[in-house]
Amino acid sequence: LSETSRVVIKRDPYNAEAPLPALADPITRPASHYVRSNFAVPTLDHAEYALQIDGAVAEPASLSWATLSALPRVDAVMTMECAGNDRLGMRPVPTGEPWDSGAVSTAHWRGVRLRDVLATVTLAHDVTEILATGADSGPRDDALVPGPVTFARALPLAVAQHPDTLLAMEMNGAPLPPEHGAPVRLIVPGWYGMANVKWVVRLSALREAFTGYFHQQRYVYEQAEGVTPVTFARVKSMITAPSEGARLPLVGCTVRGWAWSGTAPIAGVDVAVGGGDAWQPATLGPAPGAHAWTPWWLELPAPPEGRLTLRSRATDADGRRQPETVPWNRLGYGNNAVRPVTVHIGP
Amino acid sequence: LSETSRVVIKRDPYNAEAPLPALADPITRPASHYVRSNFAVPTLDHAEYALQIDGAVAEPASLSWATLSALPRVDAVMTMECAGNDRLGMRPVPTGEPWDSGAVSTAHWRGVRLRDVLATVTLAHDVTEILATGADSGPRDDALVPGPVTFARALPLAVAQHPDTLLAMEMNGAPLPPEHGAPVRLIVPGWYGMANVKWVVRLSALREAFTGYFHQQRYVYEQAEGVTPVTFARVKSMITAPSEGARLPLVGCTVRGWAWSGTAPIAGVDVAVGGGDAWQPATLGPAPGAHAWTPWWLELPAPPEGRLTLRSRATDADGRRQPETVPWNRLGYGNNAVRPVTVHIGP
């Protein structure tokens, strides 16, 4: 858990984001990929590992590491964003980890399809959700139910059975590092990070909506109008170059970054040079994977000497557009608002 | 116009803000005091300088530098804030100079009372405003009236005749520097910077409200509900230490800054450590002048390792409290919203 490859948000439990330079690459190095932990990082031994499958199934099962490993392996390059990414940009600043813009990363995951794992048991006909439970737990002062809380998140059955929903065992060609969920973690394309349960030790087939701590008291948009669950990642873009506060020469530069949406491919990115409403279209490059961010860039001709704001906004193929502001919610999730980057142009 | 003592926002015309370290002092050095120029800085010769007084007066007058200098001198330590200060913090980012938080400064001004100057002529009984015209002018693409625009701002007669409204000739014990309005500028306690007309060459007594470019097309809050003039500075505070992005040891530190309000003394400052609503009262020190900012500080005991947000909010003696967010206005004026400062606590 190097000091230099990530920016530590909280030491205990370990929460750290990707430094901006690490986000220049299409695939983030695992040592820089953001890490969100709700509790201390568990250390699980592959040899002793077992995945319990229970709940509304004909017969509970326990899958060893060897059994899991024997299932067909598939790949997914996926951009994952913490639901709390850019919480620091919300006003008032909500409670919760003070994530800046680095709680988003992209990795090449390899593992087995969750549906192949579920196919090793017989699900009841009326199963609606698959609950994934991690090996991480601890106390929570505000828990409605007494005793320690364990990280657990449920997925709708259709999402659990999506061919790209994986139990990942490898990250960028190597076994999962402990902080990324070793030995296995969920990979759920398009959903915010909380759905990608790490250190998965149990899958439970449920007949009704799960109502645990991380569904009811966290990962919900709490607004005056009501409470709604946090699910898919909202359409968003970020500027990776130039960086905030950069001093640039008078000859111009290239503005570049990434754009992503949990629900559709990226259709376009606009860039505004200066305040106001002067948006111009950026060029899009190929995404490094079906569920990964799309690169974009715009050549910026020589601007006048002084301070300059740069903004980007993404639009996805379903017509969803990244907004300039988002409605505030108490726990500070889903901030996909346009974020200005300020640079200094000078000799 | 040193590169290091101010942060240049625009080279031409010259706009520059105070760097945060320069705002640690109660009285800002003139070389670091923010400068807002709408046009090129005029160079006026004291020997040839004359102040015209015209309009609704019994007889127009022209006051030489020597005549002005013979009037009684008075002092005012005043905090001046550009109406566009913190424009960068508004969402969407408005058009206009991209001021960060450094377009506020405090100076020791010395000069003659505007009312003493006005007393050299006989005002008509129905005068309602005093218009101050600067020596600075230039083209404006969006001007409603053809031809060059000259900087000119009117004050209600009562404000013009306030005993602390000055025509300043000295700044921090020396003659006014050119960029601060030499040979004379208006000093209007409590109003945003635009009222403090620089390079004043004409005072005109008016019988009705002035409607020039800098009253109608600038320095107005343009909102969906309507258009209102920008006048007094809103209640506000800023954190001067620690600075954004600072790395702090685990032993704690002192959070400190300034608070000001254009309409009343500061009654209190609260500080929040972390997001959410955990405000605690800061200690207030004495302001360096009746119209100057109030110092405040709070001892911060050793925080846990990681990232920390610090926020301050001021309340004035009239009960006005600095808000967490402000309604957006098209030209980006009056942003007195709480501004978080993020620091890193570590070994």
Side-chain angles (χ1 to χ4, degrees):
Chain A
L1 309 185
S2 159
E3 289 292 318
T4 55
S5 52
R6 292 193 198 105
V7 180
V8 175
I9 307 307
K10 189 186 273 184
R11 174 62 63 191
D12 181 22
Y14 182 70
N15 285 278
E17 63 180 54
L20 189 64
L23 297 180
D25 299 325
I27 311 285
T28 316
R29 290 186 308 136
S32 291
H33 191 294
Y34 88 87
V35 174
R36 199 279 183 263
S37 317
N38 288 280
F39 307 105
V41 170
T43 311
L44 301 183
D45 186 334
H46 287 65
E48 293 173 16
Y49 176 78
L51 175 64
Q52 308 301 323
I53 309 182
D54 59 17
V57 295
E59 183 133 19
S62 175
L63 276 58
S64 70
W65 176 255
T67 306
L68 267 186
S69 298
L71 293 172
R73 298 272 173 123
V74 292
D75 296 85
V77 173
M78 199 184 81
T79 296
M80 191 188 299
E81 183 183 15
C82 179
N85 192 30
D86 276 306
R87 180 175 285 134
L88 267 186
M90 304 186 87
R91 299 289 178 272
V93 178
T95 56
E97 311 308 327
W99 298 108
D100 199 2
S101 299
V104 60
S105 303
T106 297
H108 179 173
W109 305 97
R110 186 169 166 82
V112 298
R113 289 193 170 103
L114 182 58
R115 71 177 182 188
D116 290 349
V117 175
L118 294 173
T120 65
V121 298
T122 303
L123 299 178
H125 72 281
D126 53 354
V127 166
T128 56
E129 292 190 346
I130 301 297
L131 176 68
T133 303
D136 50 327
S137 67
R140 275 288 181 272
D141 286 346
D142 62 340
L144 299 176
V145 178
V149 174
T150 298
F151 193 81
R153 285 280 312 181
L155 286 173
L157 185 61
V159 174
Q161 292 189 322
H162 189 283
D164 295 337
T165 298
L166 308 186
L167 275 178
M169 305 153 96
E170 297 173 56
M171 184 181 189
N172 293 20
L176 281 190
E179 73 272 24
H180 288 303
V184 293
R185 77 173 299 173
L186 265 182
I187 291 299
V188 185
W191 284 53
Y192 277 122
M194 76 283 155
N196 300 262
V197 182
K198 298 193 281 191
W199 314 293
V200 177
V201 291
R202 182 181 299 270
L203 297 172
S204 306
L206 305 184
R207 291 190 167 101
E208 53 192 32
F210 182 65
T211 58
Y213 181 86
F214 290 100
H215 278 254
Q216 283 202 310
Q217 293 183 255
R218 292 291 183 276
Y219 302 118
V220 284
Y221 296 113
E222 285 188 30
Q223 295 171 279
E225 313 86 271
V227 176
T228 49
V230 175
T231 57
F232 291 94
R234 293 171 170 175
V235 60
K236 190 165 176 178
S237 64
M238 73 180 299
I239 296 172
T240 55
S243 60
E244 177 67 27
R247 299 198 72 88
L248 301 178
L250 289 165
V251 295
C253 71
T254 303
V255 186
R256 62 175 70 250
W258 303 107
W260 62 94
S261 166
T263 46
I266 291 298
V269 173
D270 301 310
V271 173
V273 180
D277 215 19
W279 295 98
Q280 44 188 311
T283 304
L284 302 187
H291 304 294
W293 51 22
T294 294
W296 58 264
W297 60 90
L298 181 79
E299 297 301 328
L300 181 66
E305 187 174 349
R307 180 180 282 164
L308 195 65
T309 57
L310 301 169
R311 290 176 290 159
S312 67
R313 73 173 181 200
T315 305
D316 74 16
D318 287 346
R320 291 186 190 85
R321 170 168 283 176
Q322 186 180 1
E324 292 266 14
T325 59
V326 289
W328 188 83
N329 62 89
R330 188 178 70 87
L331 298 170
Y333 295 123
N335 184 9
N336 66 330
V338 167
R339 180 183 168 126
V341 168
T342 302
V343 298
H344 298 269
I345 314 292
Chain B
L1 308 184
S2 160
E3 289 291 319
T4 54
S5 52
R6 292 193 198 105
V7 179
V8 175
I9 306 307
K10 189 186 274 184
R11 174 62 62 193
D12 182 21
Y14 182 71
N15 285 278
E17 64 181 56
L20 190 65
L23 297 180
D25 299 325
I27 311 284
T28 316
R29 289 186 308 136
S32 291
H33 192 294
Y34 88 87
V35 175
R36 200 279 182 262
S37 317
N38 287 280
F39 307 104
V41 170
T43 311
L44 302 181
D45 185 334
H46 288 65
E48 293 173 16
Y49 175 79
L51 174 64
Q52 307 302 321
I53 309 181
D54 58 18
V57 296
E59 183 133 22
S62 176
L63 275 58
S64 70
W65 177 256
T67 306
L68 267 184
S69 298
L71 294 172
R73 297 273 174 123
V74 293
D75 296 83
V77 173
M78 197 183 84
T79 296
M80 190 188 300
E81 183 183 16
C82 180
N85 192 30
D86 277 306
R87 179 175 286 133
L88 267 185
M90 304 186 87
R91 299 290 178 271
V93 178
T95 56
E97 312 308 326
W99 298 108
D100 199 2
S101 299
V104 59
S105 302
T106 298
H108 179 173
W109 305 97
R110 187 169 166 80
V112 299
R113 288 193 172 103
L114 182 58
R115 70 177 184 189
D116 290 349
V117 175
L118 294 172
T120 65
V121 298
T122 304
L123 298 178
H125 72 281
D126 52 355
V127 165
T128 56
E129 292 190 347
I130 300 297
L131 176 68
T133 303
D136 50 328
S137 67
R140 275 288 182 274
D141 285 347
D142 63 339
L144 298 177
V145 178
V149 175
T150 297
F151 193 81
R153 286 279 313 180
L155 287 173
L157 185 62
V159 175
Q161 292 188 323
H162 189 282
D164 294 338
T165 298
L166 308 185
L167 274 176
M169 304 153 95
E170 297 172 56
M171 184 180 189
N172 293 19
L176 281 191
E179 72 272 23
H180 288 302
V184 294
R185 77 174 300 171
L186 265 183
I187 291 299
V188 185
W191 284 53
Y192 278 121
M194 76 284 154
N196 299 262
V197 181
K198 298 193 281 191
W199 314 294
V200 177
V201 291
R202 182 181 299 270
L203 297 172
S204 306
L206 305 184
R207 292 190 167 101
E208 53 192 32
F210 182 65
T211 57
Y213 181 87
F214 291 100
H215 277 255
Q216 283 201 309
Q217 294 183 254
R218 292 291 183 276
Y219 303 118
V220 285
Y221 296 113
E222 285 188 29
Q223 296 171 278
E225 313 87 271
V227 177
T228 50
V230 175
T231 58
F232 291 95
R234 293 172 170 174
V235 60
K236 190 166 176 177
S237 64
M238 73 180 298
I239 296 172
T240 56
S243 60
E244 177 68 28
R247 298 198 72 89
L248 302 177
L250 289 164
V251 295
C253 70
T254 304
V255 185
R256 61 175 69 249
W258 304 106
W260 62 95
S261 166
T263 47
I266 291 299
V269 173
D270 301 311
V271 173
V273 179
D277 216 19
W279 296 97
Q280 45 188 311
T283 304
L284 302 186
H291 303 294
W293 52 22
T294 294
W296 59 264
W297 60 90
L298 180 80
E299 297 301 330
L300 180 67
E305 188 175 349
R307 180 181 281 163
L308 195 65
T309 57
L310 302 169
R311 290 175 291 158
S312 67
R313 72 173 182 200
T315 305
D316 73 17
D318 287 346
R320 292 187 190 85
R321 171 168 283 177
Q322 185 179 1
E324 293 266 13
T325 59
V326 289
W328 189 83
N329 62 90
R330 188 178 70 87
L331 298 171
Y333 295 123
N335 184 10
N336 66 330
V338 167
R339 181 183 167 126
V341 168
T342 303
V343 298
H344 297 269
I345 314 293

